[in-house]
Amino acid sequence: MSSGSASLMWFRKGLRLHDNPALAYASRGSEFMYPVFVIDPHYMKPDPTAFSPGSTRSGLNRIRFLLESLADLDHSLRKVGSKLLVLKGNPCDVLVRCLKEWDVKKLCLEYDTEPYYQGLDSTVKDYASAAGIEVFSPVSHTLFNPADIIQKNGGKPPLSYQSFLKVAGQPSWASSPLVFELSSVPPVGDLGKCEISEVPTLKELGYRDNEQTDWTPFRGGESEALKRLEEVISDKEWVANFEKPKGDPSAFVKPATTVLSPYLKFGCLSSRYFYQCLQDVYKNVKEHTSPPVSLVGQLLWRDFFYTVAFATPNFDRMNGNKICKQIPWNTDDQLLTAWREARTGYPWIDASMVQLHKWGWMHHLSRHCVACFLTRGDLFIHWEKGRDIFERLLIDSDWAINNGNWLWLSCSSFFYQYNRIYSPISFGKKYDPNGNFIRHFLPVLRDMPKEYIYEPWTAPLSIQTKAKCIIGKDYPKPVVSHDSASKECKRKLAEAYALNKRLNGNVSDEDLRNLRRKLDEGQEQEPKIRRQRQKLITEAITGSVVKS
């Protein structure tokens, strides 16, 4: 047991030294400081039954990114006279044990709005308070404190971006210098009986070396985040002219965006520091873009989703979610698998999904396109199913933002213009007429002439033979006809919207079942089309582009 005052800094996100108020407070006035990260089996334990390598909740790309971020954090702490203490187990049990064993007087942790962490934090904070331990839990993962925005808005979250901006105004800290560096921190005290380990390798967590053949090109950690940020802000003209709806989703050698999202997700990069860096660039250029399309606008979108998610019970589901339209989505596992495994027969969609599997990342416009295709555009599959796949595979998967985007892109909340559908053919062609993105991520189509690469099923058999890619054998036929499927989706959404309006949003499970029956009866009038569609689906899922 340590003599003298000891503080414990509990890392979860916020994996950085710069602009880390919880860490700075833990360092202040303490003789010893224990920087702790807990390997939580809930997120990290291998799950051999999952559809991709990883745990029950996370693909291996994101677990690896996290371990790299922890190793970098440990390296940075060692430079200032400390080190990261890694423990394993249920975080509540582990933390309570450490607080007792090390005679901690001060517990510091960055505030987290996710329901899972809210539950953990409540238990640990209650124990600490009862034991007379000071608890310091500042908001530093976002630009604003979501609770402040909700209070300013009369106890409800603003449900549109523009109303959020009006309520939010300027962040209170924006004109003050942030604590960027900690020159030293108190040493680690006596560890007692607590079992401490170094940052584990994937193998030590129970994953095999050969479990995944392709890894994300993006390395984790604060050092990498600051290096990437420096590269971004050094191009002042690019920063000043950034407009989100623009940008090329087919650019993969050098992505046409910052790729800072995974670093913001894990808190390897402070969103507040990023915000100040952008403001410094804006002060030194003649003109620049503004929210919602600017880079600062993207940070504000992040805060918008965090705020709505924090104040909305059941934000991550359709049932019981007051801001979500109740829609009788299909539950077609075959179609879902075809989409997930890049076997839809639409090369732009499939190449984007392969990029997701391999890189754990794709451009935001690609995300929009594949999400629209799965939900309201073509397949009419429940947005929660797509959300689960993104949540698993994305290295930047963020609870509030991922759910917010799927609500938006399925036209379930925030955005309701369901007639505006991304074409799985013409959208990619606009950016990449030669199909280089498709050729890279779908090598089976590498030799397909550019005239056919977005619609290879239209190529004459002689051309397919020459390209060494027979459609229906080497690469699937489309699982649906986009023209007829998108019309069918619009019809179903029009009916669902009408029902939601008529019942003022109070749609019961029985109402949804009745509407589904009515919509299915409408489809029964076209049995031949449905049989043909089923045949295409079956053909499509007989293999997997991702695994080939």
Side-chain angles (χ1 to χ4, degrees), residues 15 20 28 83 97 115 141 171 181 209 279 284 386 395 406 421 425 449 459 487-488 500 546:
L15 305 179
N20 193 329
R28 212 172 299 138
K83 64 177 179 176
R97 199 161 64 244
H141 189 64
E181 284 185 301
D209 288 341
Q279 297 293 3
N284 293 302
I395 55 171
W406 278 94
I421 287 172
I425 299 160
K487 279 179 195 155
E488 187 61 27
N500 278 263
V546 170

Side-chain angles (χ1 to χ4, degrees), residues 278-422:
L278 292 173
Q279 297 293 3
D280 288 345
V281 171
Y282 293 161
K283 282 176 201 160
N284 293 302
V285 292
K286 282 184 182 172
E287 53 183 11
H288 59 82
T289 52
S290 300
V293 299
S294 63
L295 277 174
V296 158
Q298 304 320 298
L299 284 175
L300 291 164
W301 274 113
R302 180 175 179 267
D303 265 65
F304 167 63
F305 279 138
Y306 263 85
T307 303
V308 182
F310 182 58
T312 306
N314 302 311
F315 183 70
D316 58 350
R317 64 198 69 166
M318 181 176 83
N319 286 344
N321 181 348
K322 283 187 178 174
I323 69 165
C324 182
K325 298 263 189 216
Q326 302 299 300
I327 296 167
W329 300 107
N330 293 341
T331 50
D332 189 319
D333 288 342
Q334 286 188 311
L335 276 180
L336 178 67
T337 302
W339 178 83
R340 185 188 77 201
E341 300 295 337
R343 301 286 301 175
T344 68
Y346 286 93
W348 172 253
I349 300 295
D350 292 341
S352 298
M353 293 302 289
V354 172
Q355 184 185 33
L356 172 62
H357 275 267
K358 291 187 172 183
W359 286 24
W361 182 88
M362 55 171 129
H363 189 276
H364 52 263
L365 289 177
S366 298
R367 300 181 196 207
H368 293 187
C369 211
V370 299
C372 176
F373 184 88
L374 180 73
T375 57
R376 64 186 172 85
D378 292 79
L379 304 186
F380 211 69
I381 301 290
H382 204 312
W383 62 267
E384 289 175 23
K385 300 285 188 183
R387 182 275 318 280
D388 289 346
I389 290 163
F390 268 34
E391 185 179 298
R392 174 175 190 77
L393 296 177
L394 284 169
I395 55 171
D396 61 9
S397 175
D398 185 304
W399 187 82
I401 298 164
N402 192 27
N403 281 294
N405 277 324
W406 278 94
L407 282 162
W408 184 296
L409 292 165
S410 64
C411 281
S412 294
S413 194
F414 306 117
F415 176 77
Y416 303 107
Q417 296 173 37
Y418 59 79
N419 286 312
R420 289 173 60 186
I421 287 172
Y422 290 88

Side-chain angles (χ1 to χ4, degrees), residues 413-455:
S413 194
F414 306 117
F415 176 77
Y416 303 107
Q417 296 173 37
Y418 59 79
N419 286 312
R420 289 173 60 186
I421 287 172
Y422 290 88
S423 163
I425 299 160
S426 61
F427 181 76
K429 198 185 284 186
K430 177 172 69 175
Y431 296 96
D432 181 20
N434 190 49
N436 293 335
F437 178 82
I438 292 168
R439 294 175 204 283
H440 179 81
F441 287 106
L442 289 179
V444 68
L445 291 167
R446 188 177 288 143
D447 298 324
M448 189 64 69
K450 69 176 186 179
E451 295 81 6
Y452 301 107
I453 194 152
Y454 284 88
E455 302 172 86

